[in-house]
Coordinates of all heavy atoms in Angstrom, one line a residue:
M1 N -10.3 14.8 2.4 CA -11.5 15.7 2.6 C -12.8 14.9 2.3 O -13.8 15.1 2.9 CB -11.3 16.9 1.6 CG -12.3 18.0 1.9 SD -11.4 19.2 2.8 CE -12.4 20.6 2.4
K2 N -12.8 14.0 1.2 CA -13.9 13.3 0.9 C -14.3 12.3 2.0 O -15.5 12.0 2.2 CB -13.7 12.5 -0.4 CG -13.7 13.4 -1.6 CD -13.6 12.6 -2.9 CE -13.5 13.5 -4.1 NZ -13.4 12.8 -5.3
V3 N -13.3 11.8 2.7 CA -13.6 10.9 3.8 C -14.3 11.6 4.9 O -15.2 11.0 5.5 CB -12.2 10.3 4.3 CG1 -12.5 9.4 5.6 CG2 -11.5 9.5 3.2
K4 N -14.0 12.8 5.2 CA -14.6 13.6 6.2 C -16.1 13.8 5.9 O -17.0 13.6 6.8 CB -13.9 14.9 6.4 CG -14.5 15.8 7.5 CD -13.8 17.1 7.6 CE -14.4 18.0 8.6 NZ -13.7 19.3 8.7
Y5 N -16.4 14.2 4.6 CA -17.8 14.3 4.3 C -18.6 13.0 4.3 O -19.7 13.0 4.7 CB -18.0 15.0 2.9 CG -17.6 16.5 2.9 CD1 -16.6 16.9 2.1 CD2 -18.2 17.3 3.8 CE1 -16.2 18.3 2.1 CE2 -17.8 18.7 3.8 CZ -16.8 19.1 2.9 OH -16.5 20.4 2.9
G6 N -17.9 11.9 3.9 CA -18.6 10.6 3.9 C -18.9 10.2 5.3 O -20.0 9.7 5.6
L7 N -18.0 10.4 6.3 CA -18.2 10.1 7.7 C -19.3 10.9 8.3 O -20.1 10.4 9.0 CB -16.9 10.3 8.4 CG -16.9 9.9 9.9 CD1 -17.3 8.4 10.0 CD2 -15.6 10.2 10.6
V8 N -19.3 12.2 8.0 CA -20.4 13.1 8.5 C -21.7 12.6 7.9 O -22.7 12.6 8.7 CB -20.1 14.5 8.2 CG1 -21.2 15.4 8.5 CG2 -18.8 15.0 9.0
S9 N -21.8 12.3 6.7 CA -23.0 11.9 6.0 C -23.5 10.6 6.6 O -24.7 10.4 6.9 CB -22.8 11.7 4.5 OG -22.5 12.9 3.9
L10 N -22.6 9.7 6.9 CA -23.0 8.4 7.5 C -23.5 8.6 8.9 O -24.5 8.0 9.3 CB -21.8 7.5 7.5 CG -22.0 6.0 8.0 CD1 -23.0 5.3 7.1 CD2 -20.7 5.3 8.0
L11 N -22.8 9.5 9.7 CA -23.3 9.8 11.0 C -24.7 10.4 11.0 O -25.5 10.0 11.8 CB -22.3 10.7 11.7 CG -22.5 11.1 13.1 CD1 -22.5 9.8 14.0 CD2 -21.5 12.1 13.6
I12 N -24.9 11.3 10.2 CA -26.2 12.0 10.1 C -27.3 11.0 9.7 O -28.4 10.9 10.3 CB -26.2 13.2 9.1 CG1 -25.4 14.3 9.7 CG2 -27.6 13.6 8.8 CD1 -25.1 15.4 8.7
A13 N -27.0 10.1 8.7 CA -28.0 9.1 8.3 C -28.3 8.1 9.4 O -29.4 7.8 9.6 CB -27.4 8.4 7.0
G14 N -27.3 7.7 10.1 CA -27.5 6.8 11.2 C -28.3 7.4 12.3 O -29.2 6.8 12.9
T15 N -28.1 8.7 12.6 CA -28.8 9.4 13.6 C -30.3 9.5 13.2 O -31.2 9.3 14.0 CB -28.2 10.8 13.9 OG1 -26.9 10.6 14.3 CG2 -29.0 11.5 15.0
V16 N -30.5 9.9 12.0 CA -31.9 10.1 11.5 C -32.6 8.7 11.6 O -33.8 8.7 12.0 CB -31.9 10.7 10.1 CG1 -33.3 10.6 9.4 CG2 -31.4 12.1 10.1
L17 N -32.0 7.7 11.1 CA -32.6 6.4 11.1 C -32.9 5.9 12.5 O -34.0 5.3 12.8 CB -31.8 5.4 10.4 CG -31.8 5.5 8.9 CD1 -30.8 4.6 8.2 CD2 -33.1 5.4 8.3
S18 N -32.1 6.2 13.5 CA -32.3 5.7 14.9 C -33.4 6.5 15.6 O -34.0 6.1 16.5 CB -31.0 5.8 15.7 OG -30.6 7.1 15.8
L19 N -33.6 7.7 15.1 CA -34.6 8.6 15.7 C -36.0 8.5 15.0 O -36.9 9.2 15.4 CB -34.1 10.0 15.8 CG -32.9 10.3 16.6 CD1 -32.4 11.7 16.5 CD2 -33.2 9.9 18.1
T20 N -36.2 7.7 14.1 CA -37.4 7.6 13.4 C -38.5 7.0 14.2 O -39.7 7.0 13.8 CB -37.3 6.8 12.1 OG1 -36.8 5.5 12.4 CG2 -36.4 7.5 11.1
G21 N -38.2 6.5 15.4 CA -39.2 5.9 16.3 C -40.1 7.1 16.9 O -41.1 6.8 17.6
C22 N -39.7 8.3 16.7 CA -40.4 9.4 17.3 C -41.2 10.2 16.3 O -41.3 11.5 16.4 CB -39.4 10.3 18.0 SG -38.5 9.5 19.3
V23 N -41.7 9.6 15.2 CA -42.4 10.3 14.2 C -43.9 10.4 14.5 O -44.4 9.6 15.3 CB -42.2 9.6 12.8 CG1 -40.8 9.7 12.3 CG2 -42.7 8.2 12.8
P24 N -44.6 11.3 14.0 CA -46.1 11.4 14.2 C -46.8 10.2 13.8 O -46.5 9.6 12.7 CB -46.5 12.7 13.4 CG -45.2 13.4 13.1 CD -44.1 12.4 13.1
G25 N -47.7 9.8 14.6 CA -48.6 8.6 14.3 C -48.0 7.3 14.7 O -48.5 6.2 14.4
D26 N -46.9 7.4 15.5 CA -46.3 6.1 16.0 C -46.9 5.5 17.2 O -46.5 4.5 17.8 CB -44.8 6.3 16.2 CG -44.5 7.3 17.4 OD1 -45.4 7.9 17.8 OD2 -43.3 7.3 17.7
G27 N -48.0 6.2 17.8 CA -48.7 5.7 18.9 C -48.2 6.3 20.3 O -48.7 5.9 21.3
T28 N -47.2 7.1 20.2 CA -46.7 7.8 21.4 C -47.7 8.7 22.1 O -47.8 8.7 23.3 CB -45.4 8.6 21.1 OG1 -44.4 7.7 20.5 CG2 -44.8 9.2 22.4
N29 N -48.4 9.4 21.3 CA -49.4 10.4 21.8 C -50.8 9.8 21.7 O -51.1 9.1 20.7 CB -49.3 11.7 21.0 CG -47.9 12.3 21.0 OD1 -47.2 12.2 20.1 ND2 -47.6 12.8 22.2
T30 N -51.6 10.1 22.7 CA -53.0 9.6 22.8 C -53.9 10.7 23.1 O -53.5 11.8 23.3 CB -53.1 8.5 23.9 OG1 -52.8 9.1 25.2 CG2 -52.2 7.3 23.7
V31 N -55.2 10.4 23.1 CA -56.2 11.4 23.5 C -55.9 12.0 24.9 O -56.1 13.2 25.2 CB -57.6 10.9 23.4 CG1 -58.7 11.9 23.8 CG2 -57.9 10.4 21.9
N32 N -55.5 11.1 25.8 CA -55.3 11.5 27.2 C -53.9 12.2 27.3 O -53.7 12.8 28.3 CB -55.3 10.3 28.1 CG -56.7 9.7 28.2 OD1 -57.7 10.4 28.0 ND2 -56.8 8.4 28.4
H33 N -53.0 11.9 26.4 CA -51.7 12.5 26.5 C -51.3 13.0 25.1 O -50.5 12.4 24.4 CB -50.7 11.5 27.0 CG -49.3 12.0 27.2 ND1 -49.0 13.3 27.3 CD2 -48.1 11.4 27.2 CE1 -47.7 13.5 27.5 NE2 -47.1 12.3 27.4
P34 N -51.9 14.2 24.7 CA -51.6 14.7 23.3 C -50.2 15.3 23.2 O -49.6 15.7 24.2 CB -52.7 15.8 23.1 CG -53.0 16.2 24.5 CD -52.8 15.0 25.4
A35 N -49.8 15.5 22.0 CA -48.5 16.1 21.7 C -48.6 17.6 22.0 O -49.5 18.3 21.6 CB -48.1 15.9 20.2
G36 N -47.5 18.1 22.6 CA -47.5 19.5 23.0 C -46.5 20.3 22.2 O -46.1 19.9 21.1
F37 N -46.0 21.4 22.7 CA -45.1 22.3 22.1 C -43.8 21.7 21.6 O -43.4 21.8 20.5 CB -44.8 23.5 23.0 CG -43.9 24.5 22.4 CD1 -44.3 25.4 21.4 CD2 -42.6 24.6 22.8 CE1 -43.4 26.3 20.8 CE2 -41.7 25.5 22.3 CZ -42.1 26.4 21.3
F38 N -43.2 21.0 22.6 CA -41.9 20.4 22.3 C -42.0 19.2 21.3 O -41.1 19.0 20.5 CB -41.2 20.0 23.5 CG -40.8 21.1 24.4 CD1 -41.4 21.4 25.6 CD2 -39.8 22.0 23.9 CE1 -41.1 22.5 26.3 CE2 -39.4 23.1 24.7 CZ -40.1 23.4 25.9
W39 N -43.1 18.5 21.3 CA -43.3 17.4 20.3 C -43.5 18.1 19.0 O -43.1 17.6 17.9 CB -44.5 16.6 20.7 CG -44.2 15.4 21.5 CD1 -44.6 15.2 22.8 CD2 -43.4 14.3 21.2 NE1 -44.1 14.1 23.3 CE2 -43.3 13.5 22.4 CE3 -42.7 13.9 20.1 CZ2 -42.6 12.3 22.4 CZ3 -41.9 12.7 20.1 CH2 -41.9 11.9 21.3
G40 N -44.2 19.3 19.0 CA -44.4 20.0 17.7 C -43.0 20.4 17.1 O -42.8 20.3 15.9
I41 N -42.1 20.8 17.9 CA -40.7 21.2 17.5 C -40.1 19.9 16.9 O -39.5 20.0 15.8 CB -39.9 21.8 18.6 CG1 -40.4 23.2 18.9 CG2 -38.4 21.8 18.2 CD1 -39.7 23.8 20.1
W42 N -40.2 18.8 17.6 CA -39.5 17.6 17.1 C -40.1 17.1 15.8 O -39.4 16.8 14.9 CB -39.6 16.5 18.2 CG -39.1 15.2 17.7 CD1 -39.8 14.1 17.3 CD2 -37.7 14.9 17.4 NE1 -38.9 13.2 16.9 CE2 -37.6 13.6 16.9 CE3 -36.5 15.7 17.5 CZ2 -36.4 13.0 16.5 CZ3 -35.3 15.1 17.2 CH2 -35.3 13.8 16.7
H43 N -41.5 17.2 15.7 CA -42.1 16.7 14.5 C -41.8 17.6 13.3 O -41.8 17.2 12.2 CB -43.6 16.6 14.7 CG -44.0 15.4 15.7 ND1 -45.2 15.4 16.4 CD2 -43.3 14.3 16.1 CE1 -45.2 14.3 17.1 NE2 -44.1 13.6 16.9
G44 N -41.6 18.9 13.6 CA -41.2 19.8 12.5 C -39.8 19.5 12.0 O -39.6 19.6 10.8
W45 N -38.9 19.1 12.9 CA -37.6 18.8 12.5 C -37.5 17.5 11.7 O -36.7 17.3 10.8 CB -36.6 18.6 13.7 CG -36.2 19.9 14.3 CD1 -36.2 21.1 13.7 CD2 -35.7 20.1 15.6 NE1 -35.7 22.1 14.5 CE2 -35.4 21.5 15.7 CE3 -35.5 19.3 16.7 CZ2 -34.9 22.1 16.9 CZ3 -35.0 19.9 17.9 CH2 -34.7 21.2 17.9
V46 N -38.3 16.5 12.1 CA -38.3 15.2 11.4 C -39.4 15.1 10.3 O -39.6 14.0 9.8 CB -38.4 14.0 12.4 CG1 -37.3 14.0 13.3 CG2 -39.8 14.0 13.1
A47 N -40.0 16.2 9.9 CA -41.0 16.2 8.9 C -40.6 15.6 7.6 O -41.3 14.7 7.0 CB -41.6 17.6 8.6
P48 N -39.4 15.9 7.0 CA -39.0 15.2 5.8 C -38.9 13.7 5.9 O -39.2 12.9 5.0 CB -37.6 15.8 5.5 CG -37.6 17.1 6.2 CD -38.4 16.9 7.4
V49 N -38.3 13.2 7.1 CA -38.2 11.8 7.3 C -39.6 11.2 7.4 O -39.8 10.1 6.9 CB -37.4 11.6 8.6 CG1 -37.3 10.1 8.9 CG2 -36.0 12.1 8.4
S50 N -40.5 11.9 8.1 CA -41.9 11.4 8.3 C -42.6 11.2 6.9 O -43.3 10.3 6.7 CB -42.7 12.3 9.2 OG -42.1 12.4 10.4
L51 N -42.3 12.2 6.1 CA -42.9 12.1 4.7 C -42.5 10.9 4.0 O -43.3 10.2 3.3 CB -42.6 13.4 4.0 CG -43.2 13.6 2.6 CD1 -44.7 13.7 2.7 CD2 -42.6 14.8 1.9
I52 N -41.2 10.6 4.0 CA -40.6 9.4 3.3 C -41.2 8.1 3.9 O -41.6 7.2 3.2 CB -39.1 9.5 3.3 CG1 -38.6 10.7 2.5 CG2 -38.5 8.2 2.8 CD1 -37.2 11.0 2.6
I53 N -41.2 8.1 5.3 CA -41.7 6.8 5.9 C -43.1 6.7 5.6 O -43.6 5.5 5.5 CB -41.4 6.9 7.5 CG1 -39.9 6.9 7.7 CG2 -42.1 5.8 8.2 CD1 -39.5 7.1 9.2
G54 N -43.9 7.8 5.6 CA -45.3 7.7 5.3 C -45.7 7.1 4.0 O -46.8 6.6 3.8
I55 N -44.8 7.1 3.0 CA -45.0 6.4 1.7 C -45.1 4.9 1.9 O -46.0 4.3 1.3 CB -43.8 6.8 0.8 CG1 -43.8 8.2 0.4 CG2 -44.0 5.9 -0.5 CD1 -42.6 8.7 -0.3
F56 N -44.4 4.4 2.8 CA -44.3 2.9 3.0 C -45.2 2.5 4.2 O -45.7 1.3 4.2 CB -42.9 2.5 3.3 CG -42.0 2.8 2.2 CD1 -41.1 3.9 2.3 CD2 -42.0 2.2 1.0 CE1 -40.2 4.3 1.3 CE2 -41.1 2.5 -0.1 CZ -40.3 3.6 0.1
K57 N -45.5 3.4 5.2 CA -46.3 3.0 6.3 C -47.4 4.1 6.4 O -47.2 5.2 6.9 CB -45.5 3.0 7.6 CG -44.5 1.9 7.6 CD -43.8 1.9 8.9 CE -42.8 0.7 9.0 NZ -42.1 0.7 10.3
P58 N -48.6 3.8 5.9 CA -49.7 4.9 5.8 C -50.1 5.5 7.2 O -50.6 6.6 7.2 CB -50.9 4.1 5.2 CG -50.3 2.9 4.6 CD -49.0 2.6 5.3
H59 N -49.9 4.8 8.3 CA -50.3 5.3 9.6 C -49.3 6.4 10.1 O -49.6 7.2 11.0 CB -50.4 4.2 10.6 CG -49.2 3.6 11.0 ND1 -48.5 2.6 10.2 CD2 -48.4 3.8 12.1 CE1 -47.4 2.2 10.8 NE2 -47.3 2.9 11.9
I60 N -48.1 6.5 9.5 CA -47.2 7.6 9.8 C -47.5 8.8 9.0 O -47.6 8.8 7.8 CB -45.7 7.1 9.5 CG1 -45.4 5.9 10.3 CG2 -44.7 8.2 9.8 CD1 -45.4 6.0 11.8
R61 N -47.7 9.9 9.7 CA -48.0 11.2 9.1 C -46.9 12.2 9.3 O -46.1 12.1 10.2 CB -49.4 11.7 9.6 CG -50.5 10.7 9.6 CD -50.8 10.1 8.2 NE -51.3 11.2 7.4 CZ -51.5 11.1 6.1 NH1 -51.2 10.0 5.5 NH2 -51.9 12.1 5.4
V62 N -47.0 13.3 8.6 CA -46.0 14.4 8.9 C -46.4 15.2 10.1 O -45.6 15.8 10.8 CB -46.0 15.4 7.6 CG1 -45.1 16.6 7.9 CG2 -45.5 14.6 6.4
Y63 N -47.7 15.3 10.4 CA -48.3 16.1 11.5 C -49.1 15.2 12.4 O -49.9 14.4 12.0 CB -49.2 17.1 10.8 CG -49.8 18.2 11.7 CD1 -49.0 19.3 12.0 CD2 -51.1 18.1 12.2 CE1 -49.6 20.3 12.7 CE2 -51.6 19.1 13.0 CZ -50.9 20.2 13.2 OH -51.4 21.2 14.0
E64 N -48.9 15.4 13.7 CA -49.6 14.6 14.7 C -51.0 15.1 14.9 O -51.2 16.3 15.2 CB -48.9 14.7 16.1 CG -49.5 13.9 17.2 CD -49.6 12.4 16.9 OE1 -48.5 11.8 16.8 OE2 -50.7 11.9 16.8
A65 N -52.0 14.2 14.7 CA -53.4 14.6 14.8 C -53.8 14.8 16.2 O -54.7 15.6 16.6 CB -54.3 13.6 14.1
L66 N -53.2 14.0 17.1 CA -53.5 14.1 18.6 C -52.6 15.1 19.2 O -51.6 14.8 19.8 CB -53.4 12.7 19.2 CG -54.3 11.7 18.6 CD1 -54.0 10.3 19.2 CD2 -55.8 12.0 18.8
N67 N -53.0 16.4 19.2 CA -52.1 17.4 19.7 C -52.9 18.4 20.6 O -54.1 18.4 20.6 CB -51.3 18.2 18.6 CG -52.3 18.9 17.6 OD1 -53.0 19.8 18.0 ND2 -52.2 18.5 16.4
T68 N -52.1 19.3 21.2 CA -52.8 20.3 22.1 C -53.3 21.5 21.4 O -53.8 22.4 22.0 CB -51.7 20.8 23.2 OG1 -50.6 21.3 22.5 CG2 -51.3 19.6 24.1
G69 N -53.1 21.6 20.1 CA -53.7 22.7 19.4 C -52.7 23.8 19.0 O -51.6 23.5 18.4
W70 N -52.9 25.0 19.4 CA -52.1 26.1 19.0 C -50.6 26.0 19.4 O -49.8 26.3 18.6 CB -52.7 27.4 19.6 CG -52.0 28.6 19.0 CD1 -52.5 29.3 17.9 CD2 -50.9 29.3 19.4 NE1 -51.6 30.4 17.7 CE2 -50.6 30.4 18.6 CE3 -50.0 29.1 20.5 CZ2 -49.6 31.3 18.7 CZ3 -48.9 30.0 20.6 CH2 -48.7 31.0 19.8
W71 N -50.4 25.5 20.6 CA -49.0 25.3 21.0 C -48.2 24.3 20.2 O -47.1 24.5 19.9 CB -48.9 25.0 22.5 CG -49.2 26.2 23.4 CD1 -50.3 26.4 24.1 CD2 -48.3 27.3 23.6 NE1 -50.2 27.6 24.7 CE2 -49.0 28.2 24.4 CE3 -47.1 27.7 23.1 CZ2 -48.5 29.4 24.8 CZ3 -46.6 28.9 23.5 CH2 -47.3 29.7 24.3
Y72 N -48.9 23.2 19.9 CA -48.2 22.2 19.0 C -48.0 22.8 17.6 O -46.9 22.7 17.1 CB -49.1 21.0 18.8 CG -48.5 20.0 17.9 CD1 -47.6 19.1 18.3 CD2 -48.9 19.9 16.5 CE1 -47.1 18.1 17.4 CE2 -48.4 19.0 15.7 CZ -47.5 18.1 16.1 OH -46.9 17.2 15.3
D73 N -48.9 23.5 17.1 CA -48.8 24.2 15.8 C -47.6 25.2 15.8 O -46.8 25.2 14.9 CB -50.0 25.0 15.4 CG -51.2 24.1 15.1 OD1 -51.0 22.8 14.9 OD2 -52.4 24.6 15.1
A74 N -47.5 26.0 16.9 CA -46.4 27.0 17.0 C -45.1 26.3 17.0 O -44.2 26.7 16.3 CB -46.6 27.8 18.3
G75 N -44.9 25.2 17.8 CA -43.7 24.5 17.8 C -43.3 23.8 16.4 O -42.2 23.9 16.0
F76 N -44.3 23.3 15.8 CA -44.1 22.6 14.5 C -43.6 23.6 13.5 O -42.6 23.4 12.8 CB -45.5 22.0 14.0 CG -45.3 21.2 12.8 CD1 -44.9 19.9 12.8 CD2 -45.6 21.8 11.5 CE1 -44.8 19.1 11.7 CE2 -45.5 21.0 10.4 CZ -45.1 19.7 10.4
Y77 N -44.3 24.8 13.4 CA -43.9 25.8 12.4 C -42.6 26.5 12.7 O -41.9 26.8 11.8 CB -45.1 26.8 12.1 CG -46.2 26.1 11.4 CD1 -47.5 26.0 12.0 CD2 -46.1 25.6 10.1 CE1 -48.5 25.4 11.4 CE2 -47.1 25.0 9.5 CZ -48.3 24.9 10.1 OH -49.4 24.2 9.5
I78 N -42.3 26.7 13.9 CA -41.0 27.2 14.3 C -39.9 26.3 13.8 O -38.9 26.7 13.2 CB -40.9 27.5 15.8 CG1 -41.8 28.7 16.2 CG2 -39.5 27.7 16.3 CD1 -42.0 28.8 17.7
A79 N -40.1 25.0 14.1 CA -39.0 24.1 13.7 C -38.9 24.0 12.1 O -37.8 23.9 11.6 CB -39.3 22.7 14.2
V80 N -40.0 24.0 11.4 CA -40.0 23.9 10.0 C -39.3 25.1 9.4 O -38.4 25.0 8.5 CB -41.4 23.7 9.4 CG1 -41.4 23.9 7.9 CG2 -41.9 22.3 9.7
I81 N -39.7 26.3 9.9 CA -39.1 27.5 9.3 C -37.7 27.7 9.7 O -36.8 28.0 8.8 CB -39.9 28.8 9.8 CG1 -41.3 28.7 9.2 CG2 -39.2 30.0 9.5 CD1 -42.3 29.7 9.8
C82 N -37.3 27.4 10.9 CA -35.9 27.6 11.3 C -35.0 26.5 10.8 O -33.9 26.7 10.4 CB -35.8 27.6 12.9 SG -36.5 29.1 13.6
G83 N -35.6 25.3 10.7 CA -34.8 24.2 10.3 C -34.5 24.1 8.8 O -33.5 23.6 8.3
F84 N -35.5 24.6 8.0 CA -35.3 24.4 6.6 C -35.3 25.7 5.8 O -34.8 25.8 4.7 CB -36.5 23.6 6.0 CG -36.6 22.3 6.7 CD1 -37.7 22.0 7.5 CD2 -35.6 21.3 6.7 CE1 -37.8 20.8 8.2 CE2 -35.7 20.1 7.3 CZ -36.8 19.9 8.1
G85 N -35.8 26.8 6.4 CA -35.9 28.1 5.6 C -34.9 29.1 6.1 O -34.4 29.9 5.3
G86 N -34.6 29.1 7.4 CA -33.8 30.2 7.9 C -32.3 29.9 8.2 O -31.5 30.7 8.3
V87 N -32.0 28.6 8.3 CA -30.7 28.2 8.6 C -30.0 27.4 7.5 O -30.7 26.5 6.9 CB -30.7 27.3 9.9 CG1 -29.3 26.8 10.2 CG2 -31.3 28.0 11.1
S88 N -28.8 27.7 7.2 CA -28.1 27.0 6.1 C -26.9 26.3 6.8 O -26.2 26.9 7.6 CB -27.6 28.0 5.1 OG -26.9 27.3 4.1
F89 N -26.7 25.1 6.4 CA -25.6 24.3 7.0 C -24.3 24.8 6.4 O -23.2 24.8 7.1 CB -25.7 22.8 6.7 CG -26.8 22.2 7.5 CD1 -28.0 21.8 6.9 CD2 -26.7 22.0 8.9 CE1 -29.0 21.2 7.6 CE2 -27.7 21.5 9.6 CZ -28.9 21.1 9.0
R90 N -24.3 25.3 5.2 CA -23.1 25.7 4.6 C -23.4 26.9 3.7 O -24.2 26.8 2.8 CB -22.5 24.5 3.7 CG -21.2 24.8 3.1 CD -20.7 23.5 2.5 NE -20.0 23.8 1.3 CZ -19.5 22.9 0.5 NH1 -19.7 21.6 0.8 NH2 -18.8 23.2 -0.5
R91 N -22.7 28.0 3.9 CA -22.8 29.2 3.1 C -21.5 29.5 2.5 O -20.5 29.4 3.1 CB -23.3 30.3 4.0 CG -24.7 30.1 4.5 CD -25.1 31.3 5.3 NE -26.4 31.0 5.9 CZ -27.4 31.9 6.0 NH1 -27.2 33.1 5.6 NH2 -28.5 31.6 6.6
R92 N -21.6 30.0 1.3 CA -20.4 30.4 0.6 C -20.4 31.9 0.5 O -21.4 32.5 0.1 CB -20.3 29.8 -0.8 CG -20.2 28.3 -0.8 CD -20.0 27.8 -2.2 NE -20.0 26.4 -2.2 CZ -19.9 25.6 -3.3 NH1 -19.7 26.2 -4.4 NH2 -19.9 24.3 -3.2
K93 N -19.3 32.5 0.7 CA -19.2 33.9 0.6 C -18.7 34.2 -0.9 O -17.8 33.6 -1.4 CB -18.1 34.5 1.5 CG -18.6 34.5 2.9 CD -17.6 35.3 3.8 CE -18.1 35.4 5.2 NZ -17.1 36.1 6.1
K94 N -19.4 35.1 -1.5 CA -19.0 35.5 -2.8 C -18.0 36.6 -2.7 O -18.2 37.6 -2.1 CB -20.2 35.9 -3.7 CG -21.2 34.8 -3.9 CD -22.3 35.2 -4.8 CE -23.2 34.0 -5.1 NZ -24.3 34.4 -6.0
V95 N -16.9 36.4 -3.4 CA -15.9 37.4 -3.4 C -16.1 38.4 -4.6 O -16.2 37.9 -5.7 CB -14.5 36.8 -3.5 CG1 -13.4 37.8 -3.6 CG2 -14.3 35.8 -2.4
K96 N -16.3 39.6 -4.2 CA -16.5 40.6 -5.3 C -15.2 41.0 -5.9 O -14.2 41.3 -5.2 CB -17.2 41.9 -4.7 CG -18.6 41.6 -4.2 CD -19.2 42.9 -3.7 CE -20.6 42.6 -3.2 NZ -21.2 43.8 -2.7
P97 N -15.1 41.1 -7.2 CA -13.8 41.5 -7.8 C -13.6 43.0 -7.6 O -14.6 43.8 -7.6 CB -14.0 41.2 -9.3 CG -15.5 41.0 -9.5 CD -16.1 40.6 -8.2
D98 N -12.4 43.4 -7.4 CA -12.1 44.8 -7.2 C -12.1 45.6 -8.4 O -11.8 45.3 -9.5 CB -10.7 44.9 -6.5 CG -10.8 44.4 -5.1 OD1 -11.9 44.5 -4.5 OD2 -9.8 43.9 -4.5

């Protein structure tokens, strides 16, 4: 059972590290091509990773400054709320004693 959790943890860590090229402030978005709704969703999902990377690379931010405005904000907050506040990866049912 421990091997299964270790393998899953390793797979998740590898995926997160390979996708860090898509964090806010990496130069993908410009004034002529700002981040939109779907980039907002992506940046909301990778916000914790962006925060950690931002400690070592100051140009990486949690939030993309070059965005389309309200639509980017909506995508960002939807991802943050659904990804971290509303969804649980593992829930335990409490058994009530009879």
Side-chain angles (χ1 to χ4, degrees):
M1 193 101 153
K2 289 183 182 181
V3 174
K4 183 178 177 182
Y5 289 123
L7 183 60
V8 170
S9 299
L10 185 63
L11 182 62
I12 290 171
T15 302
V16 168
L17 288 174
S18 67
L19 296 175
T20 56
C22 302
V23 294
D26 66 350
T28 303
N29 302 106
T30 63
V31 174
N32 295 331
H33 185 20
F37 178 75
F38 293 109
W39 274 113
I41 289 176
W42 176 252
H43 291 159
W45 283 338
V46 299
V49 175
S50 301
L51 183 64
I52 294 168
I53 293 173
I55 294 169
F56 304 103
K57 295 182 178 183
H59 68 282
I60 301 297
R61 310 300 296 169
V62 175
Y63 186 84
E64 179 63 63
L66 302 171
N67 63 60
T68 57
W70 191 90
W71 284 107
Y72 177 84
D73 294 344
F76 186 85
Y77 289 115
I78 287 170
V80 168
I81 291 168
C82 292
F84 306 115
V87 177
S88 176
F89 290 109
R90 185 172 146 182
R91 294 181 185 217
R92 295 183 186 184
K93 289 186 177 182
K94 293 184 178 181
V95 179
K96 293 182 182 180
D98 291 332

